[in-house]
Amino acid sequence: MSMPDFAMNCLNTILIIISFCTIFNFISLICSEITVATTISMLLFIAMFIAQGAFAITATASPYIIHFDTEGNEIITQELDPRYPGDAKVKMAKTIYFLIPEGQAMRIGSTETEYLYEMPIYSIIFISILNIGGIYIFYKKELK
C-alpha cells in the first residue's frame, strides 16, 4: 500500500469513529435518558451491520459474469450478467452503503482502494447531517 493510500486509510478510520460518536450524540440529544440512548445506539449499530451486509451485495454487483480459475484468480468475461440489478440500483445501493459507517469500515477492512478517496466525503456529509439535525431537534425540544 502506498503512503497516500495509508494516510487516507487512517483518515477514513478516524472519520468512521467520529461517525459512530455522532450517531450516539444524535440519539443522546433526542433522548433525555442516557440508558435509553445507549440501548437505542446498540440496536442501531446492529441494524447498520445487517444493512451494510444487505446493501453490499447490490453495491458491489458487476454487470459482467465473473469466473475464477483453479488458482483463485478472478476472470471477468464479456458476458452480461442476467442477474445484474441495473446501474441506477447499484449507484443508489453504493451511496447508502458508503453513508453507513459500517459499510465504510467493511470496505477499509477489505483493503480495497477503489473508493478510498470518496469515502471521506460520505463521512463528512453523514457527520454534518446528523449533528445539524440533532442540534435542531434539541433546540426545538422542550426541556424539563
Side-chain angles (χ1 to χ4, degrees):
M1 181 179 287
S2 67
M3 193 62 175
D5 288 347
F6 178 73
M8 206 50 145
N9 249 347
C10 291
L11 175 67
N12 284 331
T13 303
I14 291 168
L15 286 173
I16 289 170
I17 292 168
I18 293 171
S19 295
F20 281 117
C21 293
T22 300
I23 293 169
F24 181 71
N25 184 40
F26 176 78
I27 295 171
S28 296
L29 286 172
I30 294 173
C31 298
S32 56
E33 290 189 35
I34 194 71
T35 308
V36 174
T38 304
T39 305
I40 291 173
S41 294
M42 286 180 170
L43 293 174
L44 187 61
F45 293 158
I46 293 169
M48 282 192 306
F49 181 76
I50 294 169
Q52 75 80 24
F55 284 111
I57 296 168
T58 306
T60 58
S62 173
Y64 301 105
I65 295 176
I66 299 173
H67 297 288
F68 294 94
D69 63 5
T70 56
E71 297 173 3
N73 297 325
E74 189 175 280
I75 301 171
I76 300 175
T77 63
Q78 294 297 325
E79 300 174 52
L80 290 175
D81 190 355
R83 296 173 295 153
Y84 183 68
D87 289 335
K89 288 182 182 178
V90 169
K91 187 176 181 179
M92 183 179 71
K94 195 172 291 184
T95 301
I96 294 170
Y97 181 73
F98 284 132
L99 276 175
I100 299 171
E102 244 345 288
Q104 291 184 21
M106 288 297 179
R107 184 60 71 150
I108 289 173
S110 70
T111 66
E112 293 180 22
T113 60
E114 185 178 358
Y115 299 103
L116 193 61
Y117 293 91
E118 293 176 24
M119 287 192 290
I121 297 168
Y122 287 105
S123 290
I124 291 170
I125 290 170
F126 182 78
I127 291 166
S128 300
I129 288 173
L130 278 185
N131 277 328
I132 291 170
I135 291 169
Y136 178 76
I137 292 171
F138 182 73
Y139 280 125
K140 294 290 182 181
K141 189 166 94 170
E142 193 172 312
L143 299 175
K144 294 178 185 175

